[in-house]
Amino acid sequence: MHSLVQAQWEGVPHTQWVLHHDPSCATRTEPWGIEVISPLLRSHPGSTWRNDVRALWGFLSQRYNVSGNTNCSTHVHVSRAEDFTASELKCIAQAIIHFEPAFEVLVPPERRGNRYSRSSWIDNPHLAHRNLSRDQSIDLIESLNTVDQIIGVMNPGLSKFFGWNFLPIRTLKTIEFRRGSVSLTSDDTFMWVELAMSFIKAASIQNPPQQLRQYPRTTGGLKAFIQNVYLPTQPGTHGSSYLDRIFHGKDSSARLEPRPVSNLFPREEVEEEAKLYEKYLQTL
């Protein structure tokens, strides 16, 4: 593990566990707000990537008192061995818009109306801000033809501050899920990873909008959508118990519309990040 808190390490990215600052969870006193970034973890039959995550949490829990608050979150980057095609990205984007009310139920209250993980629909100047319904937004996405067009709609103003961030497609070949709450154990981490990974896999092989609309925008509809793609539990790939954990106790008919976040123009978003970073530097 290496530290980037004060740019103390230079190496090949995504090959080591890294400690990093995150202005959104920075603190002036103990407990110190630190972001942990994993190396690239590969999920395939026989992979030991879960053991690597367990080893990290074992190390931390033996040596530190780990805590979290509402400013903390779990972000998951998902990629494929082969790059996402424009057609797959379109299907994923449409499924995100369709099932957002179900995800709103699954995430805790502090991740709702969060300015750093905004609604892909209600906070989007290309969609709800133009008075487009969810179905109309899905139809708009259906008309897109290129990866850049899809990114432009899903991340307007090239802002990453949406619950699903498509910008890393250009650099890391990943889609980032930003809605997860703080993880304090390996099982917490696996829960959010499983949700993001299973949903993206299911969405990428569906045939929206006609097939997508057969599923209600509820937690039960989302679960059925994911389970429609056979994802057997096997070492190194999917773990259905982690998916069951996040759906446990949720009413299958539950849905919740997101709360809008006050709009910031892209320039203001950059300035806001800079202010947070400056505040963080003052604590060093």
Side-chain angles (χ1 to χ4, degrees), residues 3-238:
S3 174
L4 277 175
V5 174
Q6 292 177 304
Q8 296 173 346
W9 175 68
E10 292 183 5
V12 180
H14 315 300
T15 59
Q16 305 280 341
W17 289 94
V18 173
L19 299 178
H20 201 280
H21 70 81
D22 185 332
S24 66
C25 66
T27 57
R28 294 178 179 272
T29 60
E30 293 183 359
W32 302 109
I34 297 291
E35 178 183 20
V36 180
I37 304 174
S38 79
L40 175 63
L41 301 172
R42 292 179 171 85
S43 173
H44 57 78
S47 170
T48 60
W49 73 272
R50 291 188 192 273
N51 292 339
D52 296 336
V53 176
R54 291 189 183 101
L56 167 81
W57 281 109
F59 176 86
L60 293 176
S61 62
Q62 289 171 14
R63 293 164 176 81
Y64 303 96
N65 294 320
V66 182
S67 61
N69 59 29
T70 57
N71 292 327
C72 300
S73 60
T74 302
H75 295 180
V76 183
H77 284 260
V78 180
S79 64
R80 293 184 41 166
E82 299 177 354
D83 295 346
F84 290 107
T85 66
S87 177
E88 289 167 341
L89 289 177
K90 184 187 297 188
C91 290
I92 294 167
Q94 291 171 317
I96 288 169
I97 300 300
H98 183 80
F99 285 112
E100 193 174 61
F103 275 95
E104 201 74 6
V105 175
L106 297 182
V107 301
E110 64 267 20
R111 302 305 295 165
R112 300 170 189 161
N114 187 293
R115 66 186 303 176
Y116 298 109
S117 58
R118 303 177 195 182
S119 162
S120 297
W121 174 69
I122 204 166
D123 293 315
N124 195 319
H126 299 306
L127 304 179
H129 286 196
R130 291 176 54 195
N131 294 320
L132 296 183
S133 67
R134 289 193 185 276
D135 284 340
Q136 289 171 328
S137 299
I138 290 170
D139 290 338
L140 172 66
I141 294 170
E142 182 68 20
S143 70
L144 306 178
N145 297 311
T146 69
V147 171
D148 282 345
Q149 287 176 337
I150 297 166
I151 293 173
V153 167
M154 296 303 289
N155 290 90
L158 301 182
S159 169
K160 69 178 182 180
F161 296 137
F162 287 86
W164 294 88
N165 175 20
F166 282 56
L167 292 180
I169 287 290
R170 291 173 167 167
T171 53
L172 304 176
K173 309 300 182 184
T174 66
I175 298 171
E176 182 188 18
F177 175 64
R178 298 172 56 87
R179 300 215 63 189
S181 61
V182 60
S183 290
L184 298 178
T185 67
S186 57
D187 283 355
D188 290 345
T189 307
F190 295 148
M191 181 180 69
W192 294 118
V193 170
E194 188 64 37
L195 179 62
M197 189 165 59
S198 299
F199 176 75
I200 286 178
K201 184 170 184 178
S204 66
I205 61 176
Q206 301 292 329
N207 296 301
Q210 294 80 10
Q211 185 174 349
L212 185 63
R213 288 173 178 146
Q214 297 176 8
Y215 296 91
R217 295 174 175 133
T218 62
T219 55
L222 174 59
K223 188 174 183 180
F225 176 77
I226 294 174
Q227 292 179 333
N228 185 57
V229 178
Y230 182 58
L231 301 173
T233 296
Q234 56 179 309
T237 55
H238 295 280

